[in-house]
Amino acid sequence: MVIIGLLAGYVGPRLFAQIGRSEVKVTRAQIDGLAKALDQYRLDTGHFPTSEQGLAALRSAPAEEPKWAGPYLTKAVPKDPWGNDYLYRSPGEHGDYDLWSLGKDGRAGGEGENADITNW
């Protein structure tokens, strides 16, 4: 029993750390996929969706957008691995648009799993 307890104490934290790293990788992959869809939107319309239109413009045509040729996503806009919406701002402070997740804690800033994951 003691040996099993020692093994669990050693392996458990490493396993949970790996799960946290994989959620960050999934978030980066989703941001990359959304960025590609946003680029296609811009190629068709000549501009990125406004902040008000948001990422929903990738699934359904915004009002008064005659050049929209979507949908640009095959499924609904995903939530990040922690169940939060991705944040989008256009024009962005760091580029044409900013796209980010607030990480595990859902608050700006942080370190490790709680750090913001961005497209910039």
Side-chain angles (χ1 to χ4, degrees):
M1 291 300 266
V2 172
I3 293 173
I4 293 172
L6 289 172
L7 284 173
Y10 179 74
V11 173
R14 292 182 184 271
L15 177 65
F16 289 118
Q18 184 64 28
I19 291 170
R21 283 193 294 273
S22 67
E23 289 172 331
V24 170
K25 287 180 183 178
V26 166
T27 304
R28 286 193 177 120
Q30 287 179 329
I31 286 175
D32 185 54
L34 291 169
K36 288 176 181 167
L38 286 163
D39 288 340
Q40 186 61 49
Y41 181 101
R42 183 188 57 79
L43 286 172
D44 289 345
T45 64
H47 57 86
F48 290 106
T50 65
S51 296
E52 293 76 28
Q53 292 168 331
L55 297 174
L58 299 174
R59 283 288 298 157
S60 58
E64 301 177 22
E65 187 56 71
K67 296 180 182 177
W68 191 86
Y72 300 96
L73 295 174
T74 56
K75 297 180 181 178
V77 176
K79 293 194 179 280
D80 71 15
W82 303 282
N84 301 312
D85 291 328
Y86 283 98
L87 302 174
Y88 172 77
R89 176 176 46 224
S90 178
E93 294 177 6
H94 304 277
D96 291 328
Y97 64 88
D98 296 342
L99 178 60
W100 73 102
S101 164
L102 295 175
K104 184 177 182 177
D105 65 356
R107 294 189 301 230
E111 295 181 13
E113 294 177 43
N114 294 329
D116 298 350
I117 302 163
T118 69
N119 72 321
W120 62 87

